[in-house]
Amino acid sequence: MKILATSDWHLGHLFHGNDRLPEHKHFLQWMLQQIVRLQPDALLVAGDVFDNGNPSAAAQTAYYEFLADATRLCPSMQIIITAGNHDSASRLEAPRPLLSRHKVEVRGSVRRRWQPTDNGGAWETDYDDLLIPVSNSRGEEIVVLAVPYLRSDVVQNANYAEGVRLFLQQLTARAREQYPGKKLVMMAHMYAKGAEIAKNDASEKIIIGGLEEVSMDGWTAHPDYMTCGHIHKRQPVWNTNWAHYTGSVLPISFAEKDYQHGVNLICFDEQGLPVVSLLEYEPQHRLRILPEDDAELSPAKLKKLINKELPEKTDGAKDDHYEYVMLKVKLDHVSNDDIKELEKLVNEKNAVLCKIQKIIPQLDITTIAGNEKIASIDDILNRDPMEALKECFLLQHQKPMSQHQEELLAELLSAQQTPTNT
């Protein structure tokens, strides 16, 4: 049994105003090449197919063209797609009846049934709808547990993280009951406790107060394997040897420029244990930060660095592999006229200037929590709101928040961040 696992495509994403549709098409073509070469039994896409709940027509066309090509090139392959927090569950699932006829199963949301009782009735989760058997020509069969992003109206638990954990455990128990002896592969879109995120960038500051961190620790009756979406860095799920994040297929911010990208190939060895290998993908456009370190460069040295590091255009035009660039400048060393010259120089290269990070001169604000130093505007904008508010409380009242106050504040901040299901 060969399974390809991926997530976090974010079709329709704009990178500092740059349309990434050609980049995503480049990835999707690469994906089709892997499918043709490997002829896998299943392809699992664990959420955030699109970058927002109302994707452009062009982004949706690229998605459906990929599905049409993949099912044509590998007609025996089962494709299973779940919604992430960036997706519209209803929009993603709308063509489900049609797609299922072509071996494409989509799960955007969790279905519930009303069960009458002597005392009135209650809503019952339809776990069976999330259980999808996958078989191959050799008679091997696994069961995929397709879990979309679980919103608070589905979990309905005072503690969201515990509610998600309970849901996953109950779904796994149901799968073992319905398919005894079968290998279980779960796909989920969630924030697992201990996952490494890009803490110096706002794009992955998705959790406040730890309310959504789901612990996998101590779960002995777990599925045979779990593939996760939601976190952009490819990594094992903390404290497990049976679960992995596949990571995003493209870097979403400059903080992710050194991330490894690709899809996971999952097989099972003779002992029935999962064997995971990376099929590495090189994004079409490289991300560059100049200077790489915190060196304070004069305009002349910045220009010299740009000329040294950035590639030249081909025949006076940017080619298909131009680079995205962020410049770091210290404001007391660089004037507005200097910045205009630097912008012009970068754009004369085989590169696109996406961002200028302005370093605040002679500013050394040391915060109370963690002795954290703030040296740039981005550092201020990207601070954890929870930590900033705790510091304000301490300065105002000369004492720290109580645990109860922290919990109330965390719930309030989390409610402000929770995406709506459009």
Side-chain angles (χ1 to χ4, degrees), residues 331-368:
L331 294 186
D332 61 346
H333 287 174
V334 183
S335 68
N336 288 336
D337 288 339
D338 291 328
I339 288 177
K340 289 180 180 178
E341 289 185 19
L342 292 170
E343 289 177 349
K344 182 174 181 294
L345 181 58
V346 171
N347 289 322
E348 288 174 352
K349 302 292 183 178
N350 193 37
V352 170
L353 180 60
C354 297
K355 180 180 181 180
I356 295 180
Q357 185 181 53
K358 298 176 181 179
I359 307 300
I360 302 172
Q362 299 177 343
L363 180 63
D364 184 8
I365 302 174
T366 301
T367 67
I368 297 169

Side-chain angles (χ1 to χ4, degrees), residues 99 159 253 344 386 397 411:
L99 292 176
N159 184 307
S253 73
K344 182 174 181 294
M386 183 70 170
H397 300 284
E411 289 178 7

Side-chain angles (χ1 to χ4, degrees), residues 318-333:
K318 292 183 178 68
D319 62 27
D320 292 336
H321 297 277
Y322 59 81
E323 299 181 348
Y324 288 133
V325 178
M326 180 177 86
L327 289 182
K328 293 192 296 184
V329 301
K330 192 165 184 179
L331 294 186
D332 61 346
H333 287 174

Side-chain angles (χ1 to χ4, degrees), residues 251-371:
I252 306 301
S253 73
F254 278 100
E256 302 176 11
K257 78 177 189 68
D258 295 323
Y259 284 5
Q260 198 173 29
H261 303 280
V263 301
N264 281 347
L265 173 63
I266 305 154
C267 303
F268 290 92
D269 63 18
E270 294 179 355
Q271 287 73 42
L273 299 175
V275 177
V276 182
S277 55
L278 170 66
L279 306 179
E280 189 167 4
Y281 167 71
E282 183 177 348
Q284 191 174 21
H285 301 305
R286 183 184 177 193
L287 271 57
R288 304 294 304 276
I289 298 177
L290 300 177
E292 288 278 358
D293 54 21
D294 294 326
E296 299 177 10
L297 301 183
S298 66
K301 288 184 177 179
L302 276 171
K303 291 175 184 177
K304 184 176 181 180
L305 184 64
I306 290 168
N307 283 320
K308 176 184 176 183
E309 294 292 332
L310 298 185
E312 300 293 336
K313 292 180 179 178
T314 303
D315 298 327
K318 292 183 178 68
D319 62 27
D320 292 336
H321 297 277
Y322 59 81
E323 299 181 348
Y324 288 133
V325 178
M326 180 177 86
L327 289 182
K328 293 192 296 184
V329 301
K330 192 165 184 179
L331 294 186
D332 61 346
H333 287 174
V334 183
S335 68
N336 288 336
D337 288 339
D338 291 328
I339 288 177
K340 289 180 180 178
E341 289 185 19
L342 292 170
E343 289 177 349
K344 182 174 181 294
L345 181 58
V346 171
N347 289 322
E348 288 174 352
K349 302 292 183 178
N350 193 37
V352 170
L353 180 60
C354 297
K355 180 180 181 180
I356 295 180
Q357 185 181 53
K358 298 176 181 179
I359 307 300
I360 302 172
Q362 299 177 343
L363 180 63
D364 184 8
I365 302 174
T366 301
T367 67
I368 297 169
N371 199 34

Side-chain angles (χ1 to χ4, degrees), residues 200-211:
N200 63 333
D201 188 89
S203 68
E204 276 199 320
K205 286 193 174 178
I206 52 179
I207 309 302
I208 292 185
L211 288 180

Side-chain angles (χ1 to χ4, degrees), residues 388-406:
L389 290 170
K390 285 167 65 177
E391 287 185 19
C392 291
F393 184 94
L394 179 60
L395 291 171
Q396 179 69 28
H397 300 284
Q398 299 301 307
K399 64 178 182 180
M401 287 184 182
S402 67
Q403 182 177 350
H404 179 63
Q405 288 170 324
E406 284 192 34

